[in-house]
Amino acid sequence: MVEISAYDRLKCKIFNGAFAGMVGVTCTFPLDLVKTRMQNQNKALSGGKPQYRNVFHCFGTIFRNEGIRGLYRGVGVNLALINPEKAIKLVVNDELRRHFMVKSVSKEHRAKNVL
């Protein structure tokens, strides 16, 4: 069996967290963009009526006018901000879980030995 060093495990966890963040942002960014555009639509500029009727209309309008690239406009900033956050979160979560699982298991082991 190959022994993996703690440093290599840490690098893998950081990479996995960053990759998970990229996948999450890539999948959800178009919906987030639609939500933001609908919240920011200015009724005063369009003669008092909203620019988008609903989510589907907004999505279709963006796709028709700007293409697939329009749905991902600004994704780079989100990727740059989310990747470090997700990587750190995964590492801390795993390490805390490992730390508390070891304590929990050792307490259970001691309790069984006492009985």
Side-chain angles (χ1 to χ4, degrees):
M1 190 158 120
V2 177
E3 190 67 30
I4 299 175
S5 71
Y7 179 69
D8 287 337
R9 264 196 328 268
L10 178 66
K11 287 192 302 187
C12 286
K13 288 178 185 179
I14 290 171
F15 174 79
N16 289 340
F19 186 73
M22 281 185 357
V23 170
V25 167
T26 303
C27 292
T28 61
F29 191 80
L31 294 173
D32 193 43
L33 178 80
V34 167
K35 175 196 65 119
T36 303
R37 293 244 183 132
M38 288 193 69
Q39 287 175 336
N40 292 335
Q41 63 184 337
N42 193 344
K43 295 176 188 171
L45 293 177
S46 60
K49 65 180 191 172
Q51 185 178 2
Y52 306 112
R53 293 188 302 267
N54 54 42
V55 173
F56 302 110
H57 180 251
C58 181
F59 189 88
T61 302
I62 294 169
F63 187 74
R64 243 185 333 279
N65 295 340
E66 303 174 41
I68 194 76
R69 293 184 78 181
L71 291 171
Y72 285 95
R73 188 176 315 273
V75 74
V77 174
N78 270 17
L79 287 173
L81 296 175
I82 294 294
N83 280 348
E85 184 262 334
K86 292 294 182 192
I88 292 167
K89 186 176 181 178
L90 180 78
V91 170
V92 170
N93 189 29
D94 281 355
E95 291 303 312
L96 288 174
R97 183 181 307 129
R98 188 178 64 78
H99 175 74
F100 287 115
M101 287 291 282
V102 168
K103 282 188 174 184
S104 174
V105 169
S106 65
K107 282 182 185 178
E108 288 176 14
H109 181 67
R110 280 184 275 165
K112 286 180 183 178
N113 286 339
V114 170
L115 297 175

